[in-house]
């Protein structure tokens, strides 16, 4: 099926007499007739639900739909995008290990990987996504376990050169993990270009209506863990907490997601609630339609801003003049996303224009139906001075504009009165 059909029909396929609409299985527990049947579930000997902290049918149907959209072999939902990125990485590394991380990633993920994982003795080498192959290769160490990047960086809107990153990761015997939140699987499938694991903050375009925080991890099934048993002992050697099973032997291509559910969900418990999974599924049904409109609106807004005298610069990979346009054309030929950044010269002027906006709201959110703005220098990065901001790759006058699906003339009219009025 085509992706827009999967959005509507994928995941849940009701049988005769079943509810037509994905049911919300709002139950923490599941009943069994014999003690032995339940025991087999605890040993991962049989397939089935027993406690919603590990798995729930509503969540699994939604994960299956996202898995189909990405072209993966297995997927799981998490309570947030943060949890998805933490689990995706922590599933294959432990104390003493090392990661190679692109510098152009979401601030929350940067903190997680660079600062919080350091407290677990997991270190990172941060690389510029535009570095040369030599520079990238030099970042790897004996104990490197994965490479992490974002397909379109939030908020830098830089495009990851998947093939360069996948080649370096695979040459060093480790997987490439890509956060594909901004383009969504509608506009980009990182597995086609060598990524091994994909993560999502479903909070953004997938939910799309700003109702439910959530995340997802999808495995391509392409990375052969068994080639490196000493590097990935958690997957290739016995798990004593499940009576000595070996995930790669017992679960084959589903080994990574099964281990992530059976160990990390069991122990850390960042499960999606079935009610929120239902809302995410609602969003997914119209994802293909909405992404098309987000892209066409953002392209028109970016062009309008580029022609506006008071606007000093605009970054949108959909613009022909953008530094990342060629990579966008290569990896996301149908368009990128609805997010762009622009600047008005100074921190004060950007803040002044934002205060004058009427319809477009100032919110700490991005990628939903309603157009919104954020000024990192005044909000998420407000503790930094101008010099520190530049080092972090965030210009003091940078406004992140998340273009929604309203009529584009109304979006431009609001920007016009705020900038030029
Ligand atoms: C928002 C975001 C996250 C974090 O997701 P939450 O659902 O807020 O936990 C991770 N990656 C990207 C690219 C994001 O935009």
């Amino acid at each position: 099926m085509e992706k827009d059909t999967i959005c509507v029909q994928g995941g849940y396929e009701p049988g005769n007499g079943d509810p037509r609409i994905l049911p919300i299985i709002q139950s923490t527990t599941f009943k069994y007739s014999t003690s032995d049947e339940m025991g087999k579930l605890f040993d991962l000997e049989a397939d089935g639900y027993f406690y919603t902290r590990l798995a729930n049918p509503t969540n699994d149907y939604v994960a299956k739909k996202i898995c189909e959209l990405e072209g993966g072999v297995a997927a799981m939902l998490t309570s947030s995008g943060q949890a998805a990125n933490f689990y995706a990485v922590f599933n294959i590394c432990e104390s003493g290990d090392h990661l190679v991380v692109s510098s152009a990633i979401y601030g929350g993920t940067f903190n997680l990987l660079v600062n919080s994982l350091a407290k677990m003795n997991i270190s990172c080498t941060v690389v510029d996504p535009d570095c040369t192959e030599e520079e990238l290769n030099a970042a790897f160490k004996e104990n490197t376990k994965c490479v992490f990047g974002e397909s379109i960086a939030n908020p830098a809107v830089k495009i990851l050169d998947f093939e360069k990153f996948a080649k370096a990761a695979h040459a060093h015997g480790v997987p490439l993990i890509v956060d594909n939140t901004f383009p969504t699987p509608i506009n980009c499938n990182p597995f086609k270009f060598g990524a091994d694991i994909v993560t999502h903050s479903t909070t953004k375009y997938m939910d799309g209506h700003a109702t439910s925080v959530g995340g997802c991890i999808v495995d391509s099934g392409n990375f052969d863990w068994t080639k490196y048993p000493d590097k990935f002992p958690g997957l290739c050697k016995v798990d004593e907490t499940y009576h000595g099973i070996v995930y790669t032997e017992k679960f084959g291509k589903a080994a990574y997601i099964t281990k992530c559910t059976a160990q990390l969900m069991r122990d850390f418990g960042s499960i999606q609630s079935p009610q929120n999974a239902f809302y995410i599924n609602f969003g997914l049904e119209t994802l293909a339609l909405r992404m098309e409109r987000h892209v066409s609106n953002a392209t028109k807004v970016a062009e309008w801003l580029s022609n506006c005298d008071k606007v000093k610069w605009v970054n949108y990979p959909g613009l022909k003049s953008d530094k990342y346009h060629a990579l966008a054309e290569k990896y996301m030929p149908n368009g990128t996303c609805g997010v762009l950044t622009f600047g008005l010269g100074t921190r004060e002027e950007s803040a002044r224009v934002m205060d004058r906006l009427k319809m477009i709201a100032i919110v700490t959110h991005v990628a939903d139906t309603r157009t919104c703005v954020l000024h990192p220098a005044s909000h998420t990065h407000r503790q930094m001075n101008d010099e520190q901001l530049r080092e972090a790759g965030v210009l003091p006058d940078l406004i992140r504009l998340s273009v929604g699906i309203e009529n584009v003339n109304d979006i431009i009219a609001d920007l016009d009165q705020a900038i030029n009025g």
Side-chain angles (χ1 to χ4, degrees):
M1 290 195 291
E2 300 289 338
K3 282 192 244 180
D4 39 4
T5 309
I6 296 170
C7 282
V8 181
Q9 300 279 357
Y12 175 62
E13 289 173 45
N16 199 30
D18 284 347
R20 180 67 190 96
I21 302 307
L22 172 69
I24 307 169
I25 310 292
Q26 194 71 30
S27 179
T28 58
T29 58
F30 299 82
K31 175 190 170 287
Y32 288 90
S33 308
T34 67
S35 174
D36 189 47
E37 278 174 288
M38 178 84 105
K40 286 205 171 84
L41 297 174
F42 273 94
D43 277 355
L44 305 181
E45 284 288 324
D47 231 4
Y49 297 98
F50 55 105
Y51 192 54
T52 286
R53 171 155 38 80
L54 279 98
N56 173 282
T58 306
N59 294 7
D60 282 355
Y61 286 125
V62 179
K64 185 161 177 265
K65 181 180 279 189
I66 298 171
C67 190
E68 287 172 18
L69 286 170
E70 284 290 9
V73 296
M76 63 194 275
L77 296 190
T78 57
S79 56
S80 66
Q82 286 298 112
N85 283 330
F86 173 52
Y87 283 19
V89 167
F90 197 62
N91 200 30
I92 48 170
C93 67
E94 57 190 51
S95 175
D97 287 341
H98 170 261
L99 323 171
V100 174
V101 177
S102 162
S103 61
I105 57 172
Y106 174 65
T109 313
F110 190 89
N111 259 329
L112 164 69
L113 300 181
V114 174
N115 298 321
S116 288
L117 286 188
K119 295 174 189 163
M120 303 164 102
N121 193 30
I122 296 165
S123 62
C124 294
T125 298
V126 177
V127 294
D128 185 326
D130 302 329
C131 66
T132 64
E133 283 193 39
E134 292 69 42
E135 285 164 338
L136 184 52
N137 284 319
F140 288 81
K141 300 181 181 182
E142 255 326 89
N143 55 344
T144 303
K145 294 298 165 79
C146 69
V147 179
F148 187 97
E150 257 169 46
S151 46
I152 304 178
N154 174 8
V157 290
K158 295 180 178 188
I159 309 273
L160 189 75
D161 189 343
F162 293 111
E163 285 172 0
K164 178 175 76 181
F165 271 73
K167 188 175 159 199
H170 297 159
H172 292 87
V174 300
L176 171 61
I177 303 179
V178 171
D179 181 330
N180 196 33
T181 298
F182 267 19
T184 81
I186 300 303
N187 285 338
C188 181
N189 284 132
F191 295 157
K192 284 192 187 148
F193 310 110
D196 301 285
I197 311 285
V198 156
T199 60
H200 285 281
S201 165
T202 61
T203 318
K204 313 298 164 55
Y205 289 116
M206 285 192 177
D207 166 28
H209 301 74
T211 69
S212 311
V213 172
C216 185
I217 309 173
V218 189
D219 182 9
S220 67
N222 292 336
F223 193 84
D224 188 0
W225 312 102
T226 60
K227 261 171 88 177
Y228 313 98
D230 295 330
K231 199 177 277 193
F232 303 107
L235 282 157
C236 304
K237 300 197 172 159
V238 294
D239 180 353
E240 293 300 350
T241 66
Y242 283 108
H243 303 296
I245 63 160
V246 175
Y247 289 96
T248 46
E249 279 172 12
K250 195 162 170 67
F251 299 103
K253 283 196 179 295
Y256 173 90
I257 292 291
T258 305
K259 173 179 180 286
C260 201
T261 298
Q263 284 183 351
L264 302 191
M265 246 347 147
R266 179 195 64 190
D267 298 345
F268 296 96
S270 312
I271 194 73
Q272 176 63 265
S273 85
Q275 182 79 39
N276 278 6
F278 176 82
Y279 290 132
I280 292 164
N281 187 56
F282 250 164
L284 286 169
E285 289 188 10
T286 57
L287 182 65
L289 280 177
R290 288 185 288 107
M291 288 314 290
E292 207 177 305
R293 180 68 171 253
H294 279 294
V295 167
S296 76
N297 276 0
T299 305
K300 287 175 197 153
V301 170
E303 279 162 2
W304 183 85
L305 287 168
S306 311
N307 291 321
C308 186
D309 284 345
K310 293 202 175 138
V311 174
K312 302 299 177 221
W313 56 270
V314 181
N315 285 336
Y316 183 62
L319 285 177
K320 286 203 174 59
S321 56
D322 194 84
K323 185 180 169 194
Y324 295 93
H325 187 67
L327 285 176
E329 289 277 283
K330 178 175 176 185
Y331 296 124
M332 325 172 180
N334 296 330
T336 54
C337 64
V339 182
L340 58 86
T341 58
F342 68 100
L344 292 147
T346 63
R347 184 192 285 249
E348 295 72 27
E349 183 58 10
S350 287
R352 192 189 69 88
V353 163
M354 284 177 57
D355 289 348
R356 290 166 55 92
L357 290 165
K358 291 181 177 144
M359 176 186 80
I360 300 172
I362 301 172
V363 297
T364 310
H365 197 252
V366 63
D368 74 83
T369 56
R370 284 156 289 261
T371 301
C372 61
V373 283
L374 182 86
H375 184 214
S378 303
H379 308 138
T380 48
H381 296 63
R382 68 178 290 126
Q383 73 286 2
M384 296 185 181
N385 62 34
D386 287 7
E387 195 185 327
Q388 288 169 323
L389 282 172
R390 279 198 187 84
E391 275 169 21
V394 178
L395 294 173
D397 66 337
L398 183 150
I399 295 175
R400 184 183 71 186
L401 175 64
S402 175
V403 180
I405 61 172
E406 304 93 341
N407 187 297
V408 71
N409 295 333
D410 288 324
I411 300 170
I412 290 174
D414 196 17
L415 288 165
D416 190 20
Q417 65 80 23
I419 296 170
N420 300 314

